[in-house]
Amino acid sequence: MKFRIRPNVLGMTPYTPGKPIDEVKRELGLTEVVKLASNENPWGASPKAIEAIRVAAAEVHLYPDASAYALRQAVAAKFGMPAESVLLGNGSDEIIHLLGQIFLGSADDEIVVGDPSFVRYDAAAHLAGCRLVKVPLDADLRHDLDAMADAVGPNTKLVWVANPNNPTGTIVSRQAVDRLLDRLPEGVVLVLDEAYHEFAADQPDYPHSVDYIRAGRPVIGLRTFSKAYGLAGIRVGYGFADPAILDAVDRAREPFDVNSLAQAAAIAALGDDEFIQMTVRRTSAGRETLNKVLREVGGNPIPTFANFVFADMGQPAKPIFEALLHRGIIVRSGHVLGMPNALRVSIGTEVENEKFAQALRAVMASQVTA
């Protein structure tokens, strides 16, 4: 039987998440597995958020507040933005999808992205059937914003910049973003995806999307509760934009897209600064630990400002990834990103980081003696 599915949809590659722990246990017959592949918070979520979920669970038979009024007000108050500028979604992934829906509508439209960067930007273009312009990262594996500005054409609608970038963890400076914005033609919007914002916010020249939006620049800022806040399992993203963009997103989104448990947990998480400070502090220490062991075995980790590290292993990384997997350590290989020598490792707890270090040393030592 033949179905008339749009060719551009059939040409898309489904998103491939990090391997689940239970799947690896089943496939390889392991009893203990450490997952360092999905940039989750290894210390869980705020106890306040978990308690809020427990309380909210008593009313899961009711539809959530479709406007997420309380959460919108909480985000607005936390970041000093008007509520009418606060975007919410079922993870920031949904907001990315919706931005594609409201800005892209024909094969002539185009978006400009860094390469490699977060694959869901590509998906927004493919789903719309529009042109995807990829600009390679610079020699330091940062977004080359000057080259991205050069790539903007008369049909460009959106420019996407992940800051910090995923998968490299690198950041661009405020000065570089200023130059890019000054060169964007009227009507082109810059999307600053700040999913890892909490881990980079203290850098002196880090550009914050909210500053640009307050100044009336054509910027959309995206953030998430899935990383530093540890709420990946209930999917709630947020962001900031001009109210006109918010109005268009509300017209296109599904009703009740942010569920009631997510709304309650996110409000509680916003009020637990101590948990976020602990997460950032321990993440920084873990980053140093992982970078040290990667250098020890001959890898070249680059400066990153997220909750993962990214290293050039000086050799194909896929065999290293597979050998680690058989030792119960799940990481990410860069071969699917066009960076075959790269390895991306999420920062875990102190115990998890040590297990990774031991496994990596053993894997690299076995390659030397093989």
Side-chain angles (χ1 to χ4, degrees):
M1 184 178 295
K2 293 184 178 180
F3 301 99
R4 297 180 179 179
I5 299 172
R6 292 161 57 202
N8 56 299
V9 173
L10 295 177
M12 295 174 67
T13 301
Y15 179 73
T16 304
K19 274 183 168 290
I21 291 174
D22 289 342
E23 179 182 328
V24 174
K25 286 181 177 179
R26 287 194 306 269
E27 288 182 353
L28 302 179
L30 300 171
T31 57
E32 183 179 3
V33 171
V34 173
K35 184 182 179 185
L36 301 176
S38 298
N39 308 336
E40 297 151 329
N41 189 327
W43 300 285
S46 161
K48 295 179 180 179
I50 294 172
E51 175 61 16
I53 293 171
R54 188 190 68 79
V55 173
E59 294 187 348
V60 293
H61 59 292
L62 302 175
Y63 283 110
D65 175 3
S67 68
Y69 175 83
L71 176 55
R72 196 179 303 276
Q73 294 294 324
V75 171
K78 179 74 173 181
F79 299 102
M81 295 291 285
E84 59 268 24
S85 292
V86 176
L87 291 164
L88 296 172
N90 182 29
S92 56
D93 289 345
E94 186 197 26
I95 303 177
I96 292 169
H97 171 78
L98 289 170
L99 292 177
Q101 294 290 298
I102 68 171
F103 280 100
L104 308 173
S106 77
D108 292 331
D109 292 339
E110 65 182 27
I111 67 172
V112 176
V113 302
D115 184 31
S117 193
F118 188 41
V119 296
R120 299 312 294 171
Y121 314 148
D122 299 22
H126 291 312
L127 188 60
C130 76
R131 185 166 177 253
L132 176 65
V133 180
K134 291 192 170 189
V135 178
L137 304 182
D138 68 16
D140 296 317
L141 299 183
R142 296 176 301 193
H143 279 79
D144 188 337
L145 298 192
D146 293 326
M148 293 178 77
D150 291 339
V152 171
N155 295 319
T156 302
K157 297 293 184 67
L158 298 169
V159 177
W160 299 83
V161 174
N163 200 39
N165 187 36
N166 179 12
T168 61
T170 51
I171 58 175
V172 292
S173 69
R174 183 180 296 109
Q175 294 79 9
V177 173
D178 289 346
R179 288 198 310 273
L180 172 61
L181 284 170
D182 288 342
R183 293 184 59 191
L184 290 184
E186 185 175 358
V188 179
V189 178
L190 170 63
V191 184
L192 284 176
D193 187 346
E194 300 170 331
Y196 301 92
H197 165 268
E198 292 81 7
F199 305 106
D202 63 344
Q203 296 302 305
D205 62 348
Y206 180 77
H208 300 266
S209 62
V210 293
D211 294 335
Y212 292 110
I213 297 166
R214 291 190 190 107
R217 304 304 296 271
V219 170
I220 298 170
L222 302 182
R223 296 182 186 176
T224 183
F225 285 93
S226 295
K227 306 303 180 185
Y229 286 98
L231 298 178
I234 54 176
R235 312 299 296 125
V236 54
Y238 68 104
F240 310 98
D242 185 278
I245 294 174
L246 185 69
D247 174 72
V249 167
D250 279 343
R251 293 171 188 271
R253 70 180 176 88
E254 294 292 333
F256 311 112
D257 55 340
V258 183
N259 70 72
S260 55
L261 301 185
Q263 291 185 37
I267 292 169
L270 282 172
D272 196 346
D273 291 336
E274 184 178 347
F275 178 81
I276 292 297
Q277 291 165 5
M278 177 276 293
T279 293
V280 172
R281 183 177 65 252
R282 296 177 76 175
T283 296
S284 179
R287 188 185 302 119
E288 293 181 10
T289 297
L290 296 190
N291 282 339
K292 181 179 179 181
V293 71
L294 284 162
R295 292 190 192 97
E296 177 188 318
V297 300
N300 181 29
I302 64 171
T304 59
F305 300 88
N307 63 344
F308 56 84
V309 297
F310 188 86
D312 183 341
M313 301 305 294
Q315 59 182 293
K318 188 176 180 181
I320 301 172
F321 157 79
E322 292 173 344
L324 287 170
L325 195 63
H326 280 79
R327 292 175 179 270
I329 307 293
I330 311 172
V331 297
R332 284 281 210 172
S333 170
H335 72 278
V336 295
L337 304 168
M339 305 179 78
N341 289 357
L343 206 64
R344 194 194 75 184
V345 186
S346 302
I347 294 162
T349 64
E350 289 80 358
V351 171
E352 290 172 337
N353 293 339
E354 180 56 31
K355 289 181 178 179
F356 164 76
Q358 292 176 3
L360 183 64
R361 291 185 186 108
V363 166
M364 301 305 284
S366 67
Q367 291 188 347
V368 171
T369 57

